[in-house]
Amino acid sequence: NNSIGGDIGLSVKNVHANDLFSVSQNFPNPFNGSTRFELNLKNNADVTVEVYNVLGKLVKSMNLSDLTAGTNTVTLDLAGLNAGLYTYTVTVGAEKLTRTLMVK
C-alpha cells in the first residue's frame, strides 16, 4: 500500500502514545502461549498491565515496579487462554493505553 493514508494509518496502528509513555503492538500476534510488547517510558515508573477478554473480564494482571525510562520489553505469559480477541491495558500513573491482541 503506497498511499499516504496507508502509511499514516500504519504508524498510528503500531504505536499508541501519550506524554508519559508509548505501547507497541504485541509480537508475535496472533500467538499461543506468550507474547511481548515494547513499553517506552519517559520517566522511571510503576506500571500495571491488565489483560481483558471480550466480555471485559480481567484474565491477567501484572504489576511492574520501578521500570526504567526508555524502552522496556514486557512479556505476557497467557498460556491456557482460549483462542480469541483480548485487550491489554497499560497504566502509568493516571494514564492508560489499550491495545488488542489475538490468541490463536
Side-chain angles (χ1 to χ4, degrees):
N1 186 342
N2 291 327
S3 72
I4 292 172
D7 291 343
I8 292 171
L10 187 65
S11 63
V12 170
K13 181 177 170 221
N14 284 334
V15 177
H16 282 199
N18 61 32
D19 292 341
L20 294 177
F21 65 107
S22 64
V23 176
S24 76
Q25 182 62 50
N26 63 296
F27 54 94
N29 191 47
F31 69 96
N32 190 317
S34 68
T35 187
R36 25 185 216 290
F37 64 89
E38 289 187 350
L39 170 62
N40 198 301
L41 295 171
K42 188 173 180 183
N43 305 302
N44 290 10
D46 294 337
V47 176
T48 302
V49 181
E50 295 169 319
V51 180
Y52 295 90
N53 66 15
V54 288
L55 301 175
K57 182 184 176 205
L58 181 66
V59 296
K60 173 93 176 182
S61 181
M62 295 174 19
N63 293 312
L64 308 171
S65 297
D66 204 26
L67 291 184
T68 56
T71 301
N72 296 270
T73 300
V74 179
T75 299
L76 293 173
D77 180 2
L78 300 177
L81 284 187
N82 292 330
L85 203 58
Y86 295 82
T87 59
Y88 57 104
T89 299
V90 179
T91 306
V92 178
E95 300 284 335
K96 292 179 186 265
L97 291 175
T98 299
R99 305 289 304 213
T100 303
L101 57 80
M102 177 73 75
V103 175
K104 65 181 177 185

